Amino acid sequence: MRIDERRIPLSDALRPWISEISVTTIAVHDGARTIVEPPDHSAALALRVFPGEHTDLVVMGPRTRALYHLGEPGPFCVSARIRPGHAASLLGRSVAGLRDRAVLLSELWGTPGAQLARELTDVGSDPAGIDERLLLGRVEQAFTSRLAGLPPRQQARSDLTHRASQLLTGRGTTHSEPEQVSATATRLHVSERSLREVFTSTVGLGPKQFARIDRLREVLAYAGEAPWTRVATELGYHDQSHLNADFRTMMGVTPTAYLTGRLPTALRCDTHRPAR
């Protein structure tokens, strides 16, 4: 089995709100294999195509636990990953209730969500032949419409949370070191309590959990490339046992089991789709 993932270049209008748009498909199938979706602190808008079955447009909330799918040929997904802090503005509601859930966009937007879902079915059922211009145009138009009436207070909350996410992950400091929640709140001139409340509403996770998931994703990038003790030290864990505990909590297996392919039972991708 080979999993193909390609990126669709973002338009200037979408780049402040979307970090990436990718098309993921299983290109070759030579027996069952597990696809791993690691925890993710970002919400995403996903067009999921099951050829001959159905197509849906869902919002994937922040994911605190890994998902394991059967590697089956046919289904593919076009996913627009929303930049941390901006999901609440785009979706028009708190993201806290979307944690570990997939929700039809029509449930959040009503008629405009259902209309966008219908329009995006026109991008095609062949992942290699997706009409990228149509896809980007429709998504951009829908988001622009949603953001046109965004109150200044909501814009300020979105900007504050996005800046906080950069500081918490070390991507907003000159020395590239993640900051603690207290230091982040001080730098942004808000109380820790206010930061936690705004962050949870706009991201769907508390700032500490957000930082934990971000660090775990860095661990996964290192997996198999360096000894676990070194990974733990370089990524700021107290020790390897601390890394192991975080890894098992969020991935469902130990680091060693993960590397050797001893993974939890995998489910069909559409098992995780919303009930209709």
Side-chain angles (χ1 to χ4, degrees):
M1 179 183 73
R2 187 178 79 247
I3 301 173
D4 284 346
E5 182 175 89
R6 63 183 175 89
R7 302 285 174 82
I8 296 178
L10 292 170
S11 65
D12 291 340
L14 288 177
R15 194 169 289 112
W17 303 91
I18 303 296
S19 60
E20 66 182 51
I21 296 181
S22 60
V23 182
T24 305
T25 184
I26 300 172
V28 178
H29 185 65
D30 56 4
R33 186 174 170 184
T34 299
I35 298 173
V36 182
E37 286 192 55
D40 196 343
H41 47 42
S42 294
L45 183 66
L47 177 70
R48 305 189 301 183
V49 181
F50 300 86
E53 298 182 31
H54 73 281
T55 297
D56 60 25
L57 182 62
V58 300
V59 174
M60 309 291 293
R63 190 167 52 249
T64 63
R65 301 286 189 275
L67 296 178
Y68 296 88
H69 301 306
L70 289 174
E72 298 178 322
F76 71 92
C77 179
V78 183
S79 178
R81 198 162 178 259
I82 302 172
R83 292 190 185 278
H86 294 325
S89 295
L90 289 174
L91 301 177
R93 58 164 290 173
S94 169
V95 189
L98 300 178
R99 187 185 305 132
D100 292 315
R101 296 178 60 203
V103 180
L104 292 169
L105 183 63
S106 58
E107 292 186 18
L108 305 180
W109 284 8
T111 300
Q115 179 179 343
L116 180 60
R118 287 193 298 271
E119 291 175 349
L120 289 185
T121 59
D122 294 337
V123 303
S125 57
D126 176 9
I130 286 176
D131 188 333
E132 296 181 4
R133 187 173 179 179
L134 172 65
L135 174 73
L136 291 175
R138 295 286 167 79
V139 172
E140 183 178 316
Q141 183 180 33
F143 282 1
T144 300
S145 177
R146 296 293 298 182
L147 295 169
L150 190 66
R153 182 172 180 271
Q154 180 61 44
Q155 179 68 63
R157 286 163 61 90
S158 182
D159 291 342
L160 173 73
T161 310
H162 184 63
R163 177 58 176 156
S165 73
Q166 293 178 311
L167 296 170
L168 290 165
T169 58
R171 299 185 182 94
T173 59
T174 55
H175 51 81
S176 300
E177 290 293 330
E179 289 192 352
Q180 298 295 319
V181 177
S182 58
T184 297
T186 298
R187 186 186 289 266
L188 297 177
H189 309 292
V190 296
S191 68
E192 282 190 59
R193 179 179 178 180
S194 294
L195 179 60
R196 285 194 299 270
E197 290 176 349
V198 173
F199 205 96
T200 301
S201 175
T202 55
V203 174
L205 304 166
K208 287 186 177 179
Q209 188 171 31
F210 176 92
R212 281 182 68 202
I213 291 174
D214 187 79
R215 183 163 58 172
L216 177 73
R217 291 174 69 88
E218 289 196 65
V219 170
L220 293 171
Y222 273 95
E225 301 297 324
W228 290 118
T229 51
R230 177 181 162 191
V231 173
T233 299
E234 292 189 357
L235 295 183
Y237 287 92
H238 298 312
D239 49 33
Q240 187 179 341
S241 63
H242 181 201
L243 182 155
N244 290 347
D246 255 16
F247 197 102
R248 184 162 191 164
T249 296
M250 290 185 273
M251 296 300 294
V253 292
T254 65
T256 299
Y258 177 80
L259 279 182
T260 55
R262 291 180 284 124
L263 305 176
T265 301
L267 302 174
R268 278 200 81 212
C269 183
D270 61 354
T271 303
H272 301 287
R273 74 175 186 252
R276 293 178 180 271

